[in-house]
Amino acid sequence: MPIGLADDRAEPVRVAIVGTGNIARNHARALATAGAAIAPAPSGGPPATLVAAADVNDARLTGFCEEFAVEGAYHDLDDLLRKERPDLVHVCTPPGLHHAQALACLRAGVSVLVEKPPAISLREFDEIAAAEGEPATAGPWFATVFQHRFGSGQQRLKALASAGDLGRPLLAMCTTTWFRDQAYFDVPWRGRWDTEGGGPTMGHGIHQMDMLLDVLGDWTEVSAVTRTQARRVQTEDVSLAHVTFANGAVASVVNSVLSPREETYLRYDFERATVEVTHLYGYTDKDWRVTPVEEVEQDVLTAWESGSGETPGEAASRSGHASQFIQVLDALRAGRRPPVAPAESRRTLALIAAIYASAFTKRPVTPDDLAPGTPFYDRMNGGNSQW
Ligand SMILES: NC(=O)c1ccc[n+]([C@@H]2O[C@H](COP(=O)([O-])OP(=O)(O)OC[C@H]3O[C@@H](n4cnc5c(N)ncnc54)[C@H](O)[C@@H]3O)[C@@H](O)[C@H]2O)c1
């Protein structure tokens, strides 16, 4: 039965994970949290069951399957897809593998939820999106893990901004100043264009830029500078960008893995209020601050406090995998396509491609500069090795 027609299914959604490293553990725990937050399957069981996992590293695979009581253990994704016929695969492998593995799932008729970055080039991304079923609501579909969209603070901001309650957006700041030592980059796939697709712009700031675009919409122009200041990597370890949006707003974006006092900070100056969130790897409602202009103070604060996120339950106020998985499972059971749809994650990936394109070419970049046939469509570094 195609996924997405789950409304009347008696049995839990059958989920598999490929790649059983660090983030896969978050997925396994978050699936359990999400399952507990929503109604059971009609059979009375949990809404989703983790039925299988695949990894090329036997020790990791075995440890993962034991820890999370997963029955199906595979060294090969194709083998898993053939024998288990899951409804949904979570792709938790290094970024350079996402393209081939997402395509393998979709071609086997299985929907796929891919960790960020969804692909390491716009070309790869478009190939994945083109392999979705027709219509994609009935599956198989492809969605990206951008879990920080799903805390109630971000959902409230998005709702108020799109309703016009905050006035026009004028200025924004999007700061990912994190710290990763050299040992972090000793993992073979990190810090390389062909396996990670970039540095902190692609690997770390991507979440915050995705939040920014979730609120401000389409970007129209980017000017950027990147540097490799301190880590032995092929990619940047710092990037700075100025971004212009179709709605007239402008934003300053900073991405770093060199910052001993780590912080994640997003700030929006709307006509009627400043809205800020300061956190590190996940926020709750208390991390948000709203400062309205005096004349409309009560209106704005009342709107903010009465607005709620779409995600139901306890897990909802915290941004994290569980808050996204609640919406994924909910959508599966309702026969809807879940968030985050390809058009939205493509916009975020294109902003990253634009930052690299501007840094390499030393000029402002527009979406047209990233069209199929251009160097930065095919590869994030446009085939360059020196900044
Ligand atoms: N959403 C988030 O906040 C978040 C946080 C951390 C990492 N991530 C993303 O998750 C992904 C994985 O990162 P990680 O830190 O868990 O990496 P990791 O290196 O800890 O785990 C990757 C796993 O994939 C396995 N693997 C490699 N090749 C494979 C293959 N061909 N088939 C099956 N398994 C294979 C490895 O053996 C390893 O166990 C990356 O895309 C990363 O950007 C997302």
Side-chain angles (χ1 to χ4, degrees):
M1 182 173 89
I3 199 74
L5 302 178
D7 221 2
D8 56 354
R9 63 185 301 147
E11 298 306 319
V13 174
R14 293 166 56 77
V15 179
I17 290 184
V18 56
T20 58
N22 291 326
I23 207 61
R25 308 192 113 67
N26 282 29
H27 279 242
R29 288 188 204 105
L31 258 179
T33 306
I38 61 178
S43 64
T49 312
L50 188 51
V51 295
D55 201 301
V56 290
N57 180 313
D58 191 50
R60 240 174 257 167
L61 176 66
T62 308
F64 181 88
C65 290
E66 276 173 14
E67 183 176 346
F68 297 103
V70 179
E71 287 188 4
Y74 295 84
H75 293 114
D76 179 65
L77 174 61
D78 291 328
D79 201 19
L80 181 156
L81 289 168
R82 221 173 16 253
K83 294 190 180 137
E84 297 284 345
R85 304 192 60 76
D87 299 312
L88 174 64
V89 170
H90 291 207
V91 174
C92 298
T93 49
L97 298 171
H98 293 180
H99 171 249
Q101 292 180 332
L103 283 179
C105 294
L106 293 169
R107 286 172 182 161
V110 176
S111 293
V112 63
L113 182 61
V114 183
E115 259 300 347
K116 63 80 191 162
I120 60 168
S121 72
L122 290 169
R123 181 181 52 74
E124 285 193 353
F125 184 94
D126 287 348
E127 286 171 7
I128 301 172
E132 283 195 324
E134 286 285 346
T137 43
W141 44 253
F142 147 58
T144 305
V145 176
F146 277 134
Q147 74 269 21
H148 299 302
R149 283 183 175 223
F150 297 95
S152 55
Q154 172 77 2
Q155 299 217 339
R156 191 175 299 163
L157 168 58
K158 194 177 167 186
L160 261 55
S162 32
D165 291 343
L166 301 170
R168 272 194 310 133
L170 306 173
L171 167 69
M173 294 176 201
C174 176
T175 305
T176 305
T177 35
W178 292 2
F179 188 83
R180 298 290 183 271
D181 63 12
Q182 189 60 47
Y184 172 86
F185 293 99
D186 291 343
V187 175
W189 60 266
R190 293 194 200 278
R192 294 165 47 122
W193 291 109
D194 60 343
T195 48
E196 194 170 13
T201 317
M202 184 68 141
H204 306 85
I206 188 170
H207 282 298
Q208 285 61 250
M209 288 183 276
D210 182 67
M211 287 173 71
L212 182 78
L213 269 51
D214 189 30
V215 174
L216 294 182
D218 291 338
W219 60 271
T220 55
E221 191 176 281
V222 176
S223 294
V225 170
T226 52
R227 288 284 184 277
T228 311
Q229 300 280 52
R231 299 289 175 263
R232 289 185 305 279
V233 287
Q234 283 179 359
T235 65
E236 85 288 4
D237 51 24
V238 168
S239 71
L240 303 95
H242 290 161
V243 184
T244 304
F245 287 85
N247 61 17
V250 287
S252 166
V253 178
V254 176
N255 301 295
S256 157
V257 280
L258 306 176
S259 307
R261 187 181 76 72
E262 296 187 282
E263 184 174 69
T264 303
Y265 178 61
L266 281 136
R267 173 186 176 122
Y268 302 85
D269 290 313
F270 292 87
E271 281 176 314
R272 291 155 62 96
T274 294
V275 180
E276 298 160 277
V277 59
T278 309
H279 69 108
L280 190 49
Y281 302 133
Y283 61 79
T284 64
D285 281 353
K286 69 176 172 33
D287 298 315
W288 291 81
R289 186 158 55 148
V290 181
T291 312
V293 295
E294 210 177 313
E295 306 84 74
V296 293
E297 186 169 354
Q298 212 41 58
D299 290 356
V300 169
L301 291 180
T302 304
W304 179 263
E305 276 149 26
S306 61
S308 64
E310 287 168 25
T311 315
E314 181 68 31
S317 77
R318 176 174 293 282
S319 71
H321 287 81
S323 54
Q324 180 164 359
F325 294 172
I326 287 171
Q327 294 213 13
V328 172
L329 294 179
D330 207 41
L332 279 173
R333 297 175 74 175
R336 281 182 278 112
R337 163 201 266 296
V340 176
E344 294 190 52
S345 42
R346 191 189 195 282
R347 183 169 61 189
T348 300
L349 198 65
L351 174 62
I352 294 166
I355 290 175
Y356 289 130
S358 174
F360 275 112
T361 61
K362 301 188 173 23
R363 60 174 182 80
V365 166
T366 68
D368 288 346
D369 294 314
L370 307 171
T374 60
F376 291 93
Y377 178 79
D378 284 335
R379 279 178 284 190
M380 284 285 159
N381 66 351
N384 300 286
S385 53
Q386 297 298 320
W387 295 112

